[in-house]
């Protein structure tokens, strides 16, 4: 791990790296993590790892289980309903605000991200799919200049990201088409409401896939 990147403090870089492991599905729902295990994997000290874990627990991305274990939460159907309600309330509005500010170069960047996403879907690259899917949404929402809503959105993504990884494992990336092409077409037209509607449909589609996965059964705890 390059702890000097962008001159950010070590604790911030450690937080971002663990967050990336969660969002990319490298840590699965129910999987235990340990401070010493993360220290060894990331090549950093105990203190920044402890701080990162505290932040991620406050965001709901990690939780205490029995025997002092720290785990990724397993998303239940009821929790998914809550996350779905929150995401569909916030993210379409972020997309709406962002579209009002987008320039052609920004839309071109989103097209490039979506092309990489489509390539990952075609090749069955699960990690690439999750990475580029999250990048598309976060890049779009960043143009909203709505910092409070952005922070909430990022927290919600931490709760749902690992379950998307389970979906990919059970159903494959080919069964996860997205609504990004519709959103991009609406961006070109300057149709902010059309973008918002596409993002809401995209969220619902992904959550429906998670619901199907939950009906099969949740991932077992991984020690």
């Amino acid at each position: 791990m390059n702890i000097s990147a962008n001159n950010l403090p070590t604790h911030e870089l450690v937080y971002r790296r663990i967050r990336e492991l969660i969002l990319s599905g490298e840590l699965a729902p129910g999987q235990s993590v340990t401070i010493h295990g993360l220290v060894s994997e990331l090549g950093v000290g105990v203190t920044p790892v402890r701080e990162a874990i505290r932040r991620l627990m406050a965001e709901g991305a990690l939780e205490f289980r029995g025997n002092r274990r720290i785990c990724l939460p397993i998303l239940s159907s009821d929790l998914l309903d809550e996350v779905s309600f929150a995401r569909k309330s916030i993210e379409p509005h972020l997309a709406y605000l962002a579209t009002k500010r987008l320039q052609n170069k920004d839309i071109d960047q989103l097209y490039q991200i979506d092309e990489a996403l489509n390539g990952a879907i075609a090749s069955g690259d699960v990690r690439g799919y999750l990475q580029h899917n999250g990048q598309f949404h976060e890049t779009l929402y960043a143009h909203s200049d709505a910092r409070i809503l952005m922070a909430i959105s990022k927290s919600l993504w931490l709760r749902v990201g690992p379950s998307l990884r389970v979906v990919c494992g059970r159903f494959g990336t080919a069964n996860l088409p997205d609504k990004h092409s519709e959103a991009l077409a609406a961006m070109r037209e300057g149709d902010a409401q059309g973008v918002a509607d596409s993002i809401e449909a995209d969220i619902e589609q992904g959550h429906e896939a998670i619901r199907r996965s939950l009906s099969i059964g949740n991932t077992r705890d991984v020690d």
Side-chain angles (χ1 to χ4, degrees), residues 113-205:
I113 296 171
D114 196 50
E115 283 299 306
L117 170 61
N118 291 336
I121 290 174
S123 64
D125 177 4
V126 171
R127 191 179 190 282
Y129 167 80
L130 294 170
Q131 177 186 355
H132 295 304
N133 185 51
Q135 185 184 11
F136 181 92
H137 286 264
E138 190 165 341
T139 301
L140 172 60
Y141 303 158
H143 291 284
S144 69
D145 197 30
R147 289 176 292 177
I148 294 174
L149 295 179
M150 274 289 295
I152 297 172
S153 174
K154 288 181 179 181
S155 176
L156 293 169
W157 270 79
L158 282 169
R159 292 176 180 270
V160 79
S163 293
L164 282 173
R165 173 63 179 85
V166 175
V167 169
C168 292
R170 286 177 175 164
F171 303 128
T173 57
N175 295 303
L176 283 174
D178 57 66
K179 298 291 184 179
H180 296 175
S181 58
E182 290 92 331
L184 287 163
M187 289 176 210
R188 288 294 190 201
E189 295 295 324
D191 180 4
Q193 188 57 53
V195 176
D197 291 344
S198 296
I199 291 299
E200 182 173 355
D202 186 65
I203 294 168
E204 182 57 38
Q205 182 172 263

Side-chain angles (χ1 to χ4, degrees), residues 23 30 33 69 77 86 95 103 110 112 116 125 131 144 159 172 182 187 190 196 200 208-209 218:
L23 290 173
V33 298
R69 291 195 308 160
S77 179
Q103 300 179 20
L110 289 164
Q112 291 172 3
D125 177 4
Q131 177 186 355
S144 69
R159 292 176 180 270
E182 290 92 331
M187 289 176 210
E200 182 173 355
E208 281 301 321
N218 280 310

Side-chain angles (χ1 to χ4, degrees), residues 66-142:
N67 300 321
R68 298 177 61 84
R69 291 195 308 160
I70 301 169
C71 298
L72 270 71
I74 295 176
L75 196 62
S76 68
S77 179
D78 287 344
L79 286 175
L80 178 60
D81 287 343
E82 289 189 46
V83 173
S84 182
F85 176 82
R87 288 191 66 200
K88 289 192 291 184
S89 299
I90 292 171
E91 292 183 41
H93 185 59
L94 285 170
Y96 182 92
L97 294 175
T99 303
K100 298 288 190 178
R101 296 168 171 267
L102 289 176
Q103 300 179 20
N104 285 332
K105 63 181 179 61
D106 303 320
I107 301 173
D108 290 342
Q109 180 187 18
L110 289 164
Y111 265 103
Q112 291 172 3
I113 296 171
D114 196 50
E115 283 299 306
L117 170 61
N118 291 336
I121 290 174
S123 64
D125 177 4
V126 171
R127 191 179 190 282
Y129 167 80
L130 294 170
Q131 177 186 355
H132 295 304
N133 185 51
Q135 185 184 11
F136 181 92
H137 286 264
E138 190 165 341
T139 301
L140 172 60
Y141 303 158

